[in-house]
Protein backbone atom coordinates (compact mmCIF):
# COMPACT_ATOMS: atom_id res chain seq x y z
CA UNK A 1 0.00 0.00 0.00
CA UNK A 2 1.11 3.60 -0.60
CA UNK A 3 0.81 6.20 2.16
CA UNK A 4 0.72 9.94 1.42
CA UNK A 5 0.30 10.99 5.05
CA UNK A 6 0.36 9.79 8.64
CA UNK A 7 -2.82 8.37 10.20
CA UNK A 8 -4.38 8.62 13.63
CA UNK A 9 -4.55 5.34 15.52
CA UNK A 10 -7.64 3.27 14.87
CA UNK A 11 -8.45 -0.43 14.96
CA UNK A 12 -9.12 -0.77 11.22
CA UNK A 13 -5.90 1.02 10.23
CA UNK A 14 -3.94 -1.00 12.80
CA UNK A 15 -5.41 -4.29 11.55
CA UNK A 16 -4.77 -3.39 7.92
CA UNK A 17 -1.23 -2.01 8.26
CA UNK A 18 0.02 -4.78 10.51
CA UNK A 19 -0.84 -7.27 7.76
CA UNK A 20 0.71 -5.35 4.86
CA UNK A 21 3.75 -6.98 3.31
CA UNK A 22 5.02 -3.61 2.21
CA UNK A 23 4.20 0.06 2.77
CA UNK A 24 5.49 2.84 0.50
CA UNK A 25 5.75 6.21 2.25
CA UNK A 26 6.38 9.37 0.23
CA UNK A 27 8.85 10.70 2.82
CA UNK A 28 10.72 9.40 5.86
CA UNK A 29 8.74 11.64 8.25
CA UNK A 30 5.54 9.80 7.31
CA UNK A 31 7.30 6.47 7.74
CA UNK A 32 8.45 7.33 11.27
CA UNK A 33 5.01 8.62 12.28
CA UNK A 34 3.36 5.42 11.03
CA UNK A 35 5.95 3.24 12.77
CA UNK A 36 5.43 5.07 16.04
CA UNK A 37 1.63 5.13 15.86
CA UNK A 38 1.11 1.53 14.74
CA UNK A 39 4.29 -0.11 16.12
CA UNK A 40 5.43 -1.23 12.69
CA UNK A 41 8.85 -2.52 11.66
CA UNK A 42 11.20 -0.41 9.61
CA UNK A 43 11.65 -3.37 7.26
CA UNK A 44 8.00 -3.07 6.19
CA UNK A 45 8.66 0.30 4.55
CA UNK A 46 10.10 1.73 1.40
CA UNK A 47 10.44 5.53 1.22
CA UNK A 48 9.80 6.66 -2.34
CA UNK A 49 9.05 10.35 -3.02
CA UNK A 50 6.72 11.51 -5.74
CA UNK A 51 8.25 12.05 -9.16
CA UNK A 52 7.64 13.16 -12.72
CA UNK A 53 8.69 12.21 -16.23
CA UNK A 54 11.77 14.40 -16.47
CA UNK A 55 11.90 14.27 -20.25
CA UNK A 56 8.75 16.42 -20.44
CA UNK A 57 10.38 19.27 -18.51
CA UNK A 58 13.90 19.12 -19.89
CA UNK A 59 13.02 21.39 -22.79
CA UNK A 60 15.95 22.78 -24.75
CA UNK A 61 14.44 26.10 -25.85
CA UNK A 62 16.11 29.26 -24.55
CA UNK A 63 14.49 31.59 -22.02
CA UNK A 64 13.93 34.24 -24.70
CA UNK A 65 12.36 31.70 -27.07
CA UNK A 66 10.08 30.39 -24.30
CA UNK A 67 8.96 33.96 -23.56
CA UNK A 68 8.39 34.62 -27.25
CA UNK A 69 6.16 31.54 -27.53
CA UNK A 70 4.24 32.60 -24.40
CA UNK A 71 4.01 36.26 -25.53
CA UNK A 72 5.87 37.47 -22.44
CA UNK A 73 8.06 40.59 -22.19
CA UNK A 74 11.76 39.82 -22.42
CA UNK A 75 12.67 42.68 -20.07
CA UNK A 76 10.58 41.61 -17.06
CA UNK A 77 11.84 39.59 -14.14
CA UNK A 78 9.47 36.62 -13.99
CA UNK A 79 8.75 34.52 -10.92
CA UNK A 80 6.62 31.41 -11.51
CA UNK A 81 4.53 29.36 -9.09
CA UNK A 82 2.99 26.16 -10.46
CA UNK A 83 0.09 24.51 -8.66
CA UNK A 84 -3.52 24.67 -7.65
CA UNK A 85 -5.00 26.77 -4.86
CA UNK A 86 -5.55 24.96 -1.57
CA UNK A 87 -5.95 26.64 1.82
CA UNK A 88 -3.42 24.28 3.47
CA UNK A 89 -0.50 25.41 1.30
CA UNK A 90 0.08 28.84 2.89
CA UNK A 91 -0.34 30.75 -0.37
CA UNK A 92 -2.04 33.69 1.33
CA UNK A 93 1.35 35.28 2.01
CA UNK A 94 2.14 35.66 -1.70
CA UNK A 95 0.52 39.10 -2.26
CA UNK A 96 2.49 40.60 0.62
CA UNK A 97 5.72 39.21 -0.82
CA UNK A 98 4.96 40.40 -4.36
CA UNK A 99 4.29 43.94 -3.11
CA UNK A 100 7.93 44.03 -1.97
CA UNK A 101 9.36 42.72 -5.23
CA UNK A 102 11.21 45.23 -7.45
CA UNK A 103 8.84 47.05 -9.79
CA UNK A 104 10.00 45.11 -12.84
CA UNK A 105 9.26 41.73 -11.19
CA UNK A 106 5.97 39.84 -11.63
CA UNK A 107 4.56 36.58 -10.28
CA UNK A 108 2.87 34.26 -12.77
CA UNK A 109 0.59 31.73 -11.05
CA UNK A 110 0.31 28.76 -13.40
CA UNK A 111 -2.51 26.39 -12.51
CA UNK A 112 -5.23 28.62 -11.08
CA UNK A 113 -7.36 31.66 -11.85
CA UNK A 114 -7.86 34.80 -9.78
CA UNK A 115 -11.26 33.69 -8.49
CA UNK A 116 -9.73 30.50 -7.04
CA UNK A 117 -7.06 32.53 -5.29
CA UNK A 118 -9.40 35.17 -3.87
CA UNK A 119 -11.44 32.46 -2.15
CA UNK A 120 -8.50 31.80 0.18
CA UNK A 121 -6.91 35.25 0.05
CA UNK A 122 -9.24 38.26 -0.46
CA UNK A 123 -6.31 40.63 -0.92
CA UNK A 124 -6.97 44.04 -2.48
CA UNK A 125 -3.85 44.37 -4.61
CA UNK A 126 -3.09 41.53 -7.00
CA UNK A 127 -1.84 43.74 -9.85
CA UNK A 128 1.54 42.05 -10.16
CA UNK A 129 0.20 38.50 -9.82
CA UNK A 130 -0.91 37.14 -13.18
CA UNK A 131 -3.12 34.05 -13.08
CA UNK A 132 -2.58 31.72 -16.02
CA UNK A 133 -5.05 28.89 -15.31
CA UNK A 134 -4.57 25.16 -15.88
CA UNK A 135 -1.96 24.08 -18.43
CA UNK A 136 -0.67 20.83 -19.87
CA UNK A 137 2.69 19.46 -18.71
CA UNK A 138 4.23 20.53 -22.01
CA UNK A 139 2.97 24.10 -21.51
CA UNK A 140 4.17 24.12 -17.90
CA UNK A 141 7.63 23.10 -19.12
CA UNK A 142 7.66 26.21 -21.32
CA UNK A 143 6.65 28.42 -18.37
CA UNK A 144 9.47 26.98 -16.29
CA UNK A 145 11.96 27.71 -19.05
CA UNK A 146 10.66 31.32 -19.24
CA UNK A 147 11.06 31.94 -15.48
CA UNK A 148 13.92 33.71 -13.75
CA UNK A 149 13.06 31.75 -10.62
CA UNK A 150 10.30 29.50 -9.28
CA UNK A 151 8.61 29.14 -5.89
CA UNK A 152 7.75 26.23 -3.60
CA UNK A 153 5.49 27.34 -0.74
CA UNK A 154 4.82 25.51 2.52
CA UNK A 155 3.36 26.63 5.83
CA UNK A 156 4.06 25.78 9.46
CA UNK A 157 0.35 26.36 10.19
CA UNK A 158 -0.73 23.07 8.59
CA UNK A 159 0.79 19.68 9.39
CA UNK A 160 0.12 18.24 5.93
CA UNK A 161 1.99 21.13 4.31
CA UNK A 162 4.76 21.28 6.91
CA UNK A 163 5.54 17.56 7.26
CA UNK A 164 3.50 15.20 5.11
CA UNK A 165 3.78 16.47 1.54
CA UNK A 166 6.10 15.63 -1.34
CA UNK A 167 5.30 18.38 -3.84
CA UNK A 168 5.20 17.28 -7.47
CA UNK A 169 6.25 20.77 -8.54
CA UNK A 170 9.63 20.32 -6.85
CA UNK A 171 10.48 17.45 -9.18
CA UNK A 172 9.23 19.41 -12.19
CA UNK A 173 11.41 22.35 -11.19
CA UNK A 174 14.46 20.13 -10.73
CA UNK A 175 13.93 18.44 -14.08
CA UNK A 176 13.65 21.85 -15.75
CA UNK A 177 16.83 23.14 -14.09
CA UNK A 178 15.10 26.10 -12.44
CA UNK A 179 16.42 28.51 -9.83
CA UNK A 180 14.27 27.53 -6.83
CA UNK A 181 13.19 29.53 -3.78
CA UNK A 182 11.47 27.21 -1.28
CA UNK A 183 9.83 27.46 2.11
CA UNK A 184 12.10 25.90 4.73
CA UNK A 185 9.84 23.09 5.94
CA UNK A 186 10.76 19.53 6.99
CA UNK A 187 8.74 18.12 4.08
CA UNK A 188 10.52 20.21 1.46
CA UNK A 189 13.89 19.52 3.11
CA UNK A 190 13.25 15.84 2.40
CA UNK A 191 13.92 16.62 -1.28
CA UNK A 192 15.85 19.90 -1.46
CA UNK A 193 19.01 21.19 0.17
CA UNK A 194 21.09 24.34 -0.24
CA UNK A 195 22.67 22.66 -3.28
CA UNK A 196 19.38 22.90 -5.20
CA UNK A 197 17.46 25.81 -3.66
CA UNK A 198 17.43 29.04 -1.70
CA UNK A 199 15.27 28.75 1.43
CA UNK A 200 12.93 31.27 3.06
CA UNK A 201 11.23 31.07 6.44
CA UNK A 202 7.69 29.61 6.25
CA UNK A 203 4.87 32.16 6.52
CA UNK A 204 7.28 35.11 6.34
CA UNK A 205 6.46 37.15 3.25
CA UNK A 206 9.31 39.59 3.87
CA UNK A 207 11.88 36.81 3.97
CA UNK A 208 10.40 35.32 0.80
CA UNK A 209 10.60 38.68 -0.97
CA UNK A 210 14.22 39.21 0.07
Amino acid sequence: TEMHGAKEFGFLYSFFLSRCQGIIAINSLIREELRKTFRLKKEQFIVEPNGVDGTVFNTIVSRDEARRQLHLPTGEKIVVYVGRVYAWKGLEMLPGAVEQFPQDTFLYFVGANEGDFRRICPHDNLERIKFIGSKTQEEIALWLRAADLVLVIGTAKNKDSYIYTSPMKVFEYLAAGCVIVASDTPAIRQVLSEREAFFSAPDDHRDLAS
Side-chain angles (χ1 to χ4, degrees):
T1 186
E2 184 175 7
M3 303 297 287
H4 287 259
K7 306 293 180 184
E8 293 184 4
F9 183 83
F11 174 76
L12 288 178
Y13 272 130
S14 181
F15 179 84
F16 174 69
L17 292 175
S18 65
R19 285 157 177 77
C20 284
Q21 290 182 307
I23 301 168
I24 301 171
I26 62 170
N27 71 35
S28 63
L29 303 171
I30 294 171
R31 177 193 65 193
E32 294 310 309
E33 287 264 354
L34 290 170
R35 286 185 62 207
K36 179 180 176 182
T37 301
F38 298 100
R39 298 182 180 179
L40 300 170
K41 297 177 181 177
K42 191 172 183 178
E43 293 73 25
Q44 289 178 263
F45 287 88
I46 295 174
V47 175
E48 193 65 45
N50 289 324
V52 297
D53 179 359
T55 60
V56 175
F57 297 94
N58 190 19
T59 176
I60 60 173
V61 301
S62 68
R63 182 176 300 169
D64 285 347
E65 174 59 19
R67 291 189 180 191
R68 187 190 68 78
Q69 292 186 35
L70 294 169
H71 308 289
L72 297 172
T74 57
E76 280 184 1
K77 294 293 189 296
I78 292 178
V79 179
V80 168
Y81 176 88
V82 175
R84 302 199 182 278
V85 175
Y86 296 109
W88 58 270
K89 289 186 175 183
L91 300 174
E92 63 274 7
M93 74 164 179
L94 284 175
V98 173
E99 285 179 349
Q100 298 187 44
F101 286 179
Q103 288 301 309
D104 64 346
T105 304
F106 293 80
L107 172 63
Y108 287 79
F109 198 122
V110 181
N113 59 49
E114 185 173 335
D116 296 332
F117 190 79
R118 286 194 180 277
R119 278 192 281 275
I120 69 157
C121 183
H123 196 277
D124 290 338
N125 184 10
L126 300 179
E127 286 183 9
R128 285 197 287 154
I129 302 180
K130 301 179 185 294
F131 296 91
I132 306 305
S134 296
K135 297 296 176 184
T136 66
Q137 284 191 319
E138 289 76 12
E139 290 171 316
I140 289 171
L142 205 57
W143 278 98
L144 298 184
R145 180 59 66 184
D148 289 291
L149 64 84
V150 296
L151 300 180
V152 188
I153 303 299
T155 174
K157 299 175 184 177
N158 182 286
K159 204 169 185 180
D160 285 333
S161 176
Y162 194 63
I163 298 175
Y164 298 141
T165 188
S166 179
M168 299 289 285
K169 67 175 63 61
V170 172
F171 303 98
E172 295 174 353
Y173 295 170
L174 289 171
C178 296
V179 178
I180 301 171
V181 176
S183 297
D184 195 354
T185 67
I188 293 171
R189 283 277 187 178
Q190 292 279 296
V191 182
L192 297 176
S193 71
E194 281 81 1
R195 292 190 301 271
E196 299 87 24
F198 299 97
F199 287 95
S200 66
D203 308 303
D204 186 338
H205 68 274
R206 291 183 177 84
D207 195 43
L208 176 62
S210 72

